[in-house]
Amino acid sequence: MSHPLGAGLTIDRTTRPAAIESPVSGYSTASYAGRIVLFLPVAMLAGVLLYFDLDREPPVWIAPVAIVVAGGGLAFGWHGPVFRRIAALALFAALGFGRAQWQTMAMPPPILVPHGVVTVAGRVSSIDLLATGRRVRLASPRLNGGPALARAVRVKLRKGDDLGLAAGDVIHVRAFLFAPSRPAYPGGWSFGLKFLLGNDLNVADSLA
C-alpha cells in the first residue's frame, strides 16, 4: 500500500524490515547453569569466615554432619536446577567450614611461654650459620625444667662460641627469650601471628 506525498514521492508500507533478533534471545537459562562453579570458591570462603567469626569452638561433629547433609541434598535434588545449585553452595560452604576447623585442630595447642631469662634444654635439629654467630633449632625443648613442648625453639649462640655442635646433640643453655615483636606497619608481617600459627617459638639469645 502506497501513500502519495506529492512531487512524485510515495511511501510503500507493504514492505517492512525484519525484526532484529536480540543476540542473547536464543540463550536459555540452562546455558548459564555452568556459571554456578564460579560461586563455589566464594561459598567455601564464606564457610571459612563463618568458622573464624564464631566466639567459641564448635562441636567436632558439626562439619561432617553438614557435609553429609549437603551432599545428600545435592544427590537427592540433582534434577532440580535451583535446588541443585543451592545444595552445591551449601556443600562447599560446609567444606570450607570443616577445612578451617580441621586445620585449627591440627595446630599445636597454644602455650604460655615465659619471656626473659630462661633455661632451655633440647635436642639440636638444625644449625644456621649467621654473620653474627650460629643459631640452633632445638626440638622438644624444656623451659626452666618444665615438660617438653610440642614446638621448637631457636637459640642464637654468642659470637665466638666455638662449641662443637651437630644435629642430634642435646644441649642445656641459659638464654633470653624475646616476646614476639609487633608489625612494623599496619598490615605488615606479624611475628605474633607466626608464633601463634607456626611450629617454632621466638628466637632467644644465648647468655651462657
Side-chain angles (χ1 to χ4, degrees):
M1 181 177 181
S2 299
H3 296 275
L5 294 179
L9 297 178
T10 59
I11 298 178
D12 187 0
R13 298 186 180 276
T14 58
T15 304
R16 297 178 179 270
I20 300 177
E21 184 178 359
S22 173
V24 297
S25 61
Y27 290 87
S28 62
T29 306
S31 63
Y32 292 94
R35 295 193 177 185
I36 189 64
V37 299
L38 301 177
F39 294 93
L40 297 182
V42 179
M44 181 175 286
L45 178 60
V48 174
L49 296 178
L50 176 62
Y51 171 79
F52 286 108
D53 192 53
L54 300 177
D55 56 357
R56 63 178 57 89
E57 186 67 20
V60 179
W61 52 264
I62 190 170
V65 170
I67 293 174
V68 171
V69 172
L74 180 61
F76 179 79
W78 182 259
H79 297 290
V82 176
F83 191 83
R84 181 174 66 238
R85 297 172 192 175
I86 295 175
L89 294 174
L91 176 60
F92 273 75
L95 289 173
F97 187 94
R99 182 68 179 88
Q101 186 179 21
W102 296 332
Q103 181 65 25
T104 303
M105 294 170 58
M107 297 303 298
I111 56 177
L112 297 177
V113 179
H115 301 139
V117 179
V118 296
T119 58
V120 184
R123 177 176 51 84
V124 178
S125 61
S126 64
I127 302 176
D128 298 327
L129 300 179
L130 307 176
T132 57
R134 294 178 297 175
R135 183 175 61 194
V136 297
R137 185 175 185 268
L138 303 180
S140 302
R142 298 178 183 269
L143 304 181
N144 294 330
L149 303 178
R151 300 186 180 187
V153 63
R154 294 173 296 159
V155 180
K156 187 173 68 175
L157 303 179
R158 293 180 301 175
K159 189 175 183 179
D161 190 340
D162 55 356
L163 178 65
L165 293 176
D169 292 343
V170 178
I171 65 173
H172 185 280
V173 64
R174 294 181 69 243
F176 192 93
L177 190 63
F178 295 95
S181 57
R182 298 180 178 179
Y185 54 90
W189 176 259
S190 175
F191 289 93
L193 183 62
K194 183 178 184 296
F195 163 75
L196 180 64
L197 301 179
N199 295 321
D200 289 356
L201 301 182
N202 206 9
V203 178
D205 283 338
S206 172
L207 299 179

